[in-house]
Amino acid sequence: MTSDKDYIQKVIKQFKLITGNKLNSEETINYFNGCMYALILNKTIFKRNDDLPSFIYTLFLKPFNNQQYKDYVYKSRTLLGARVCRHINDDLNYSEVVPLSKAVISYLEENFSLENKKENAQRLNSIADELSGWLKQ
């Protein structure tokens, strides 16, 4: 489980590179394209293909008034990745890619921080139990 969290932190770090000013506009779009394709293909974050339609629609299609992709597109991750990459290359510019990368970062942090909070709370409770037992002696 920790390897999944490490991978998610790595992905977030990659998207944060896009929001920084280290890349020029063309490099930013290309890097974002690659990060999104890798994110779609990897099954660590989206374990099932059924998890992808809501993510793609809310972040990439709805804000730009595009229709949801057909169902057959979501059955193949490579086809979905190709569609998203074509959408990024054809329709988006630098000023749209940076806010999208911030939206992806916030989506990942929101959806995967709940497990971190639970584990942190459990760890704090176990430390408190140990301390209270030690103090009672």
Coordinates of all heavy atoms in Angstrom, one line a residue, residues 49-112:
N49 N -11.3 0.5 -15.5 CA -11.6 1.4 -16.6 C -12.9 2.2 -16.3 O -13.1 3.3 -16.8 CB -11.8 0.7 -17.9 CG -10.5 0.2 -18.4 OD1 -9.4 0.2 -17.8 ND2 -10.5 -0.4 -19.7
D50 N -13.7 1.7 -15.4 CA -15.0 2.3 -15.1 C -14.7 3.6 -14.2 O -15.6 4.4 -14.1 CB -15.9 1.4 -14.3 CG -16.4 0.3 -15.2 OD1 -16.4 0.4 -16.4 OD2 -16.8 -0.8 -14.6
D51 N -13.5 3.7 -13.6 CA -13.2 4.9 -12.8 C -12.8 6.1 -13.7 O -12.8 7.2 -13.2 CB -12.1 4.6 -11.9 CG -12.4 3.4 -10.9 OD1 -13.6 3.2 -10.7 OD2 -11.4 2.7 -10.5
L52 N -12.5 5.9 -14.9 CA -12.0 6.9 -15.8 C -13.0 7.9 -16.4 O -12.7 9.1 -16.5 CB -11.2 6.3 -16.9 CG -9.8 5.7 -16.5 CD1 -9.3 4.8 -17.6 CD2 -8.9 6.8 -16.2
P53 N -14.2 7.5 -16.7 CA -15.2 8.4 -17.4 C -15.5 9.7 -16.6 O -15.5 10.8 -17.1 CB -16.4 7.6 -17.6 CG -16.0 6.2 -17.7 CD -14.8 6.1 -16.8
S54 N -15.7 9.5 -15.3 CA -16.0 10.7 -14.5 C -14.8 11.7 -14.4 O -15.0 12.9 -14.5 CB -16.5 10.3 -13.1 OG -15.5 9.7 -12.4
F55 N -13.6 11.1 -14.2 CA -12.4 11.9 -14.2 C -12.2 12.7 -15.5 O -12.0 13.9 -15.5 CB -11.2 11.0 -13.9 CG -9.9 11.6 -14.0 CD1 -9.4 12.6 -13.1 CD2 -9.1 11.3 -15.1 CE1 -8.2 13.2 -13.2 CE2 -7.8 11.9 -15.2 CZ -7.4 12.9 -14.3
I56 N -12.3 12.0 -16.6 CA -12.0 12.6 -17.9 C -13.1 13.7 -18.2 O -12.8 14.8 -18.6 CB -12.0 11.5 -19.0 CG1 -10.8 10.6 -18.8 CG2 -11.9 12.2 -20.4 CD1 -9.5 11.2 -18.9
Y57 N -14.4 13.3 -17.9 CA -15.4 14.3 -18.2 C -15.3 15.5 -17.4 O -15.4 16.6 -17.9 CB -16.8 13.6 -18.1 CG -17.9 14.5 -18.5 CD1 -18.1 14.8 -19.8 CD2 -18.8 15.1 -17.5 CE1 -19.2 15.7 -20.2 CE2 -19.8 15.9 -17.9 CZ -20.0 16.2 -19.2 OH -21.0 17.1 -19.6
T58 N -15.2 15.4 -16.1 CA -15.2 16.6 -15.2 C -13.9 17.5 -15.4 O -14.0 18.7 -15.3 CB -15.3 16.2 -13.7 OG1 -14.2 15.3 -13.4 CG2 -16.6 15.6 -13.4
L59 N -12.8 16.9 -15.8 CA -11.6 17.7 -15.9 C -11.3 18.2 -17.4 O -10.8 19.3 -17.6 CB -10.4 16.9 -15.4 CG -10.3 16.8 -13.9 CD1 -9.0 16.0 -13.6 CD2 -10.2 18.1 -13.2
F60 N -11.6 17.4 -18.4 CA -11.2 17.7 -19.7 C -12.3 18.0 -20.7 O -12.2 18.8 -21.6 CB -10.4 16.5 -20.3 CG -9.1 16.3 -19.7 CD1 -8.9 15.4 -18.7 CD2 -8.0 17.1 -20.0 CE1 -7.7 15.3 -18.0 CE2 -6.8 17.0 -19.4 CZ -6.6 16.1 -18.4
L61 N -13.5 17.4 -20.5 CA -14.5 17.6 -21.5 C -15.6 18.7 -21.1 O -15.9 19.5 -21.9 CB -15.2 16.2 -21.7 CG -14.3 15.1 -22.3 CD1 -15.1 13.8 -22.4 CD2 -13.7 15.6 -23.6
K62 N -16.1 18.6 -19.9 CA -17.1 19.5 -19.4 C -16.6 21.0 -19.4 O -17.3 21.8 -19.9 CB -17.6 19.1 -18.0 CG -18.8 19.9 -17.6 CD -19.2 19.4 -16.2 CE -20.4 20.2 -15.7 NZ -20.8 19.8 -14.3
P63 N -15.4 21.3 -18.9 CA -15.0 22.7 -18.9 C -14.9 23.3 -20.3 O -14.9 24.5 -20.5 CB -13.6 22.7 -18.2 CG -13.6 21.4 -17.4 CD -14.5 20.5 -18.2
F64 N -14.7 22.5 -21.3 CA -14.5 23.0 -22.7 C -15.7 22.7 -23.6 O -15.7 22.7 -24.8 CB -13.3 22.3 -23.3 CG -12.0 22.7 -22.5 CD1 -11.5 21.7 -21.7 CD2 -11.4 23.9 -22.6 CE1 -10.3 22.0 -21.0 CE2 -10.3 24.2 -21.8 CZ -9.8 23.2 -21.0
N65 N -16.8 22.4 -22.9 CA -18.1 22.1 -23.6 C -18.0 21.0 -24.6 O -18.6 21.1 -25.7 CB -18.7 23.4 -24.2 CG -19.0 24.5 -23.2 OD1 -19.5 24.1 -22.1 ND2 -18.7 25.7 -23.5
N66 N -17.3 20.0 -24.3 CA -17.2 18.8 -25.2 C -18.1 17.7 -24.7 O -18.3 17.7 -23.5 CB -15.8 18.3 -25.3 CG -14.9 19.3 -26.1 OD1 -15.3 20.0 -27.0 ND2 -13.6 19.3 -25.7
Q67 N -18.6 16.9 -25.5 CA -19.4 15.8 -25.1 C -18.6 14.6 -24.6 O -17.4 14.5 -24.9 CB -20.2 15.3 -26.3 CG -21.2 16.3 -26.8 CD -22.0 15.7 -28.0 OE1 -21.7 14.7 -28.5 NE2 -23.1 16.5 -28.4
Q68 N -19.2 13.8 -23.8 CA -18.6 12.6 -23.2 C -18.2 11.7 -24.4 O -18.9 11.6 -25.4 CB -19.5 11.9 -22.3 CG -19.0 10.7 -21.6 CD -18.0 10.9 -20.5 OE1 -16.9 11.3 -20.8 NE2 -18.4 10.8 -19.3
Y69 N -17.0 11.0 -24.2 CA -16.6 10.1 -25.2 C -17.6 8.9 -25.2 O -18.2 8.6 -24.2 CB -15.2 9.6 -25.0 CG -14.1 10.6 -25.1 CD1 -13.1 10.7 -24.1 CD2 -14.1 11.5 -26.1 CE1 -12.1 11.6 -24.2 CE2 -13.1 12.5 -26.2 CZ -12.1 12.5 -25.2 OH -11.1 13.5 -25.3
K70 N -17.6 8.2 -26.4 CA -18.5 7.0 -26.4 C -17.9 5.9 -25.5 O -16.8 5.9 -25.1 CB -18.5 6.5 -27.9 CG -18.9 7.5 -28.9 CD -20.3 7.3 -29.2 CE -20.6 8.3 -30.3 NZ -22.0 8.5 -30.5
D71 N -18.8 5.0 -25.2 CA -18.4 3.9 -24.2 C -17.3 3.1 -24.7 O -16.5 2.6 -23.9 CB -19.7 3.0 -23.9 CG -20.7 3.7 -23.1 OD1 -20.4 4.7 -22.4 OD2 -21.9 3.3 -23.2
Y72 N -17.2 2.8 -26.0 CA -16.1 2.0 -26.4 C -14.7 2.6 -26.2 O -13.7 1.8 -26.1 CB -16.3 1.6 -27.9 CG -16.1 2.7 -28.9 CD1 -14.8 2.9 -29.4 CD2 -17.1 3.5 -29.3 CE1 -14.6 3.9 -30.3 CE2 -16.8 4.6 -30.2 CZ -15.6 4.7 -30.7 OH -15.3 5.7 -31.6
V73 N -14.7 3.9 -26.1 CA -13.4 4.5 -25.9 C -12.8 4.2 -24.5 O -11.6 4.0 -24.3 CB -13.5 6.1 -26.1 CG1 -12.2 6.8 -25.8 CG2 -13.9 6.4 -27.5
Y74 N -13.7 4.1 -23.5 CA -13.3 3.8 -22.2 C -13.0 2.4 -21.9 O -12.4 2.0 -20.9 CB -14.4 4.3 -21.2 CG -14.5 5.8 -21.2 CD1 -15.6 6.4 -21.8 CD2 -13.6 6.6 -20.5 CE1 -15.7 7.8 -21.8 CE2 -13.7 7.9 -20.5 CZ -14.8 8.5 -21.2 OH -14.9 9.9 -21.1
K75 N -13.3 1.5 -22.9 CA -13.0 0.1 -22.7 C -11.5 -0.2 -23.0 O -10.9 -1.2 -22.6 CB -13.8 -0.7 -23.7 CG -15.3 -0.6 -23.5 CD -15.9 -1.9 -23.2 CE -17.4 -1.7 -23.1 NZ -17.9 -1.6 -21.8
S76 N -10.8 0.7 -23.7 CA -9.4 0.6 -24.0 C -8.6 1.8 -23.5 O -8.9 2.9 -24.0 CB -9.2 0.5 -25.6 OG -7.8 0.6 -25.9
R77 N -7.7 1.6 -22.6 CA -7.0 2.7 -22.0 C -6.1 3.4 -23.1 O -5.9 4.6 -23.0 CB -6.1 2.2 -20.8 CG -7.0 1.9 -19.6 CD -6.1 1.5 -18.5 NE -6.9 1.1 -17.4 CZ -6.9 1.7 -16.2 NH1 -6.1 2.7 -16.0 NH2 -7.7 1.3 -15.2
T78 N -5.5 2.6 -24.0 CA -4.7 3.2 -25.0 C -5.5 4.1 -25.9 O -5.0 5.1 -26.3 CB -3.9 2.1 -25.8 OG1 -4.9 1.2 -26.3 CG2 -2.9 1.3 -25.0
L79 N -6.7 3.6 -26.3 CA -7.5 4.5 -27.1 C -8.0 5.7 -26.4 O -7.9 6.8 -26.9 CB -8.8 3.7 -27.6 CG -9.8 4.4 -28.4 CD1 -9.1 4.9 -29.7 CD2 -10.9 3.5 -28.8
L80 N -8.3 5.6 -25.1 CA -8.7 6.8 -24.3 C -7.5 7.7 -24.2 O -7.7 8.9 -24.3 CB -9.1 6.3 -22.9 CG -9.5 7.4 -22.0 CD1 -10.7 8.3 -22.5 CD2 -9.9 6.9 -20.6
G81 N -6.3 7.2 -23.9 CA -5.1 8.0 -23.8 C -4.8 8.8 -25.1 O -4.5 10.0 -25.1
A82 N -5.0 8.1 -26.2 CA -4.8 8.7 -27.5 C -5.8 9.9 -27.8 O -5.5 11.0 -28.2 CB -4.9 7.7 -28.6
R83 N -7.1 9.6 -27.4 CA -8.1 10.7 -27.5 C -7.8 11.9 -26.6 O -7.9 13.0 -27.1 CB -9.5 10.1 -27.1 CG -10.1 9.3 -28.1 CD -10.8 10.2 -29.2 NE -11.3 9.3 -30.3 CZ -12.6 9.0 -30.3 NH1 -13.4 9.4 -29.5 NH2 -13.0 8.2 -31.3
V84 N -7.4 11.6 -25.4 CA -7.1 12.7 -24.5 C -5.9 13.5 -25.0 O -5.9 14.8 -25.0 CB -6.9 12.2 -23.1 CG1 -6.3 13.3 -22.2 CG2 -8.2 11.7 -22.5
C85 N -4.9 12.8 -25.5 CA -3.7 13.5 -26.0 C -4.0 14.3 -27.2 O -3.5 15.4 -27.4 CB -2.6 12.4 -26.3 SG -1.8 11.7 -24.9
R86 N -4.8 13.8 -28.1 CA -5.2 14.5 -29.3 C -6.0 15.8 -28.9 O -5.8 16.9 -29.4 CB -6.1 13.7 -30.2 CG -6.3 14.4 -31.6 CD -7.1 13.6 -32.5 NE -8.4 13.4 -32.0 CZ -9.3 12.6 -32.5 NH1 -9.0 11.9 -33.6 NH2 -10.5 12.5 -32.0
H87 N -6.9 15.6 -27.9 CA -7.6 16.8 -27.4 C -6.7 17.9 -26.8 O -6.8 19.0 -27.0 CB -8.6 16.3 -26.3 CG -9.3 17.4 -25.6 ND1 -10.3 18.2 -26.2 CD2 -9.3 17.9 -24.3 CE1 -10.7 19.1 -25.4 NE2 -10.1 18.9 -24.2
I88 N -5.7 17.4 -26.1 CA -4.7 18.3 -25.5 C -3.9 19.0 -26.6 O -3.7 20.3 -26.5 CB -3.8 17.6 -24.5 CG1 -4.5 17.1 -23.3 CG2 -2.6 18.5 -24.1 CD1 -3.8 16.2 -22.4
N89 N -3.4 18.3 -27.6 CA -2.6 18.9 -28.6 C -3.4 19.8 -29.5 O -2.9 20.9 -29.9 CB -2.0 17.8 -29.5 CG -0.8 17.2 -28.9 OD1 -0.1 17.8 -28.1 ND2 -0.5 16.0 -29.3
D90 N -4.6 19.4 -29.9 CA -5.4 20.2 -30.8 C -6.2 21.4 -30.2 O -6.3 22.5 -30.8 CB -6.4 19.3 -31.5 CG -5.8 18.3 -32.4 OD1 -4.6 18.4 -32.7 OD2 -6.5 17.3 -32.8
D91 N -6.7 21.2 -29.0 CA -7.6 22.2 -28.4 C -7.1 23.1 -27.3 O -7.7 24.1 -27.0 CB -8.9 21.5 -28.0 CG -9.5 20.7 -29.1 OD1 -9.4 21.1 -30.2 OD2 -10.2 19.8 -28.8
L92 N -6.0 22.7 -26.7 CA -5.5 23.4 -25.5 C -4.2 24.2 -25.8 O -3.4 23.8 -26.6 CB -5.3 22.4 -24.3 CG -6.5 21.6 -23.9 CD1 -6.1 20.7 -22.8 CD2 -7.7 22.4 -23.6
N93 N -4.1 25.3 -25.0 CA -2.9 26.0 -25.1 C -2.3 26.1 -23.7 O -2.8 25.6 -22.7 CB -3.1 27.4 -25.7 CG -4.1 28.2 -24.9 OD1 -4.3 28.0 -23.7 ND2 -4.8 29.1 -25.6
Y94 N -1.1 26.8 -23.6 CA -0.4 26.9 -22.3 C -1.3 27.4 -21.2 O -1.2 26.9 -20.1 CB 0.8 27.7 -22.5 CG 1.6 28.0 -21.2 CD1 2.4 27.0 -20.7 CD2 1.5 29.1 -20.5 CE1 3.1 27.1 -19.6 CE2 2.2 29.3 -19.3 CZ 3.0 28.3 -18.9 OH 3.7 28.5 -17.7
S95 N -2.1 28.4 -21.4 CA -2.9 29.1 -20.4 C -4.0 28.2 -19.9 O -4.5 28.4 -18.8 CB -3.4 30.4 -20.8 OG -4.3 30.2 -21.9
E96 N -4.3 27.1 -20.6 CA -5.3 26.2 -20.2 C -4.7 24.9 -19.6 O -5.3 24.3 -18.7 CB -6.2 25.7 -21.4 CG -7.0 26.9 -22.0 CD -7.6 26.6 -23.3 OE1 -7.1 25.8 -24.1 OE2 -8.7 27.2 -23.6
V97 N -3.5 24.6 -20.0 CA -2.8 23.4 -19.5 C -2.4 23.6 -18.0 O -2.6 22.6 -17.2 CB -1.6 23.0 -20.3 CG1 -0.7 22.0 -19.7 CG2 -2.1 22.5 -21.7
V98 N -1.9 24.7 -17.6 CA -1.5 24.9 -16.2 C -2.7 24.8 -15.2 O -2.5 24.1 -14.3 CB -0.8 26.3 -16.1 CG1 -0.4 26.6 -14.7 CG2 0.5 26.3 -16.9
P99 N -3.8 25.4 -15.5 CA -4.9 25.2 -14.5 C -5.4 23.7 -14.5 O -5.8 23.2 -13.5 CB -6.0 26.1 -15.0 CG -5.4 27.1 -15.9 CD -4.1 26.5 -16.4
L100 N -5.3 23.1 -15.7 CA -5.7 21.7 -15.8 C -4.8 20.8 -14.9 O -5.2 19.9 -14.2 CB -5.7 21.2 -17.2 CG -7.0 21.3 -18.0 CD1 -6.8 20.9 -19.4 CD2 -8.1 20.6 -17.3
S101 N -3.5 21.1 -15.0 CA -2.6 20.3 -14.1 C -2.8 20.6 -12.7 O -2.8 19.6 -11.8 CB -1.1 20.6 -14.5 OG -0.8 22.0 -14.2
K102 N -3.2 21.8 -12.3 CA -3.6 22.1 -10.9 C -4.8 21.3 -10.5 O -4.9 20.8 -9.4 CB -3.8 23.6 -10.7 CG -2.5 24.4 -10.8 CD -2.7 25.8 -10.6 CE -1.4 26.6 -10.7 NZ -1.6 28.1 -10.6
A103 N -5.8 21.2 -11.4 CA -7.0 20.5 -11.2 C -6.7 19.0 -11.0 O -7.3 18.3 -10.1 CB -8.0 20.7 -12.3
V104 N -5.8 18.4 -11.8 CA -5.4 17.0 -11.6 C -4.7 16.8 -10.3 O -5.0 15.8 -9.6 CB -4.5 16.6 -12.8 CG1 -3.9 15.2 -12.5 CG2 -5.2 16.6 -14.1
I105 N -3.9 17.7 -9.9 CA -3.2 17.6 -8.6 C -4.2 17.7 -7.5 O -4.2 16.8 -6.5 CB -2.2 18.8 -8.4 CG1 -1.0 18.6 -9.3 CG2 -1.7 18.9 -7.0 CD1 -0.1 19.8 -9.4
S106 N -5.2 18.6 -7.5 CA -6.2 18.6 -6.4 C -7.1 17.4 -6.4 O -7.4 16.9 -5.4 CB -7.0 19.9 -6.6 OG -7.8 19.9 -7.7
Y107 N -7.4 16.9 -7.6 CA -8.2 15.6 -7.7 C -7.4 14.5 -7.0 O -8.0 13.7 -6.2 CB -8.5 15.3 -9.2 CG -9.2 14.0 -9.3 CD1 -10.6 13.9 -9.3 CD2 -8.5 12.8 -9.6 CE1 -11.3 12.7 -9.4 CE2 -9.2 11.6 -9.7 CZ -10.5 11.6 -9.6 OH -11.2 10.4 -9.8
L108 N -6.2 14.3 -7.3 CA -5.4 13.2 -6.7 C -5.2 13.4 -5.2 O -5.3 12.5 -4.5 CB -4.0 13.2 -7.4 CG -4.0 12.7 -8.9 CD1 -2.6 12.8 -9.4 CD2 -4.6 11.3 -9.0
E109 N -5.0 14.7 -4.8 CA -4.8 14.9 -3.4 C -6.1 14.7 -2.6 O -6.1 14.1 -1.5 CB -4.3 16.3 -3.1 CG -2.9 16.5 -3.5 CD -2.4 18.0 -3.4 OE1 -3.3 18.9 -3.3 OE2 -1.2 18.2 -3.4
E110 N -7.3 15.1 -3.2 CA -8.5 14.9 -2.5 C -8.9 13.4 -2.4 O -9.4 12.9 -1.4 CB -9.6 15.6 -3.3 CG -9.6 17.1 -3.1 CD -10.6 17.8 -4.0 OE1 -11.5 17.1 -4.6 OE2 -10.6 19.0 -4.1
N111 N -8.7 12.7 -3.5 CA -9.2 11.3 -3.6 C -8.2 10.3 -2.9 O -8.7 9.2 -2.5 CB -9.4 10.8 -5.0 CG -10.6 11.5 -5.6 OD1 -11.6 11.7 -4.9 ND2 -10.5 11.7 -6.9
F112 N -7.0 10.7 -2.6 CA -6.1 9.8 -2.0 C -5.6 10.2 -0.7 O -4.8 9.5 0.0 CB -4.9 9.4 -3.0 CG -5.4 8.7 -4.2 CD1 -5.6 9.4 -5.4 CD2 -5.7 7.4 -4.1 CE1 -6.1 8.7 -6.5 CE2 -6.2 6.7 -5.2 CZ -6.4 7.4 -6.4

